[in-house]
Amino acid sequence: ACIARFDPSEIIVAVSMADDDTPMRVVRDFGVAVMPVARDANEASAARRLEDYFGLATLDGFGRLSRAELSAAALVVLYIERTQI
């Protein structure tokens, strides 16, 4: 429902979610491409991916990121690195 307002052409999901039929059924109902991406194993590796991508020593300038926000941002960066050569 909320996703439909954005009218996405592709949805990025964590590999762990791609194996779960219930949420994937909802995602597939939108008729868009689904791209499963392995997420970083922990907060430290997710933070490191973002720091490396943006050339930062720390993420302090972004403010306090929740675990979910950090994981989602790192997932998007990983997707960009793999698909936008």
Side-chain angles (χ1 to χ4, degrees):
C2 291
I3 295 173
R5 291 188 300 194
F6 294 104
D7 192 27
S9 58
E10 185 173 23
I11 296 175
I12 304 166
V13 298
V15 170
S16 58
M17 183 180 163
D19 294 334
D20 190 338
D21 283 340
T22 303
M24 289 310 298
R25 192 173 324 116
V26 172
V27 170
R28 285 190 191 101
D29 285 347
F30 289 107
V32 300
V34 176
M35 170 67 112
V37 178
R39 65 182 190 157
D40 288 301
N42 57 49
E43 287 181 60
S45 62
R48 195 167 35 259
R49 179 177 303 282
L50 293 173
E51 290 163 353
D52 291 348
Y53 185 78
F54 290 108
L56 302 170
T58 71
L59 298 178
D60 293 343
F62 290 114
R64 175 103 172 103
L65 296 174
S66 71
R67 186 176 183 182
E69 292 167 333
L70 190 59
S71 180
L75 188 67
V76 170
V77 166
L78 179 60
Y79 170 80
I80 291 169
E81 290 173 341
R82 288 189 179 169
T83 62
Q84 310 300 312
I85 298 173

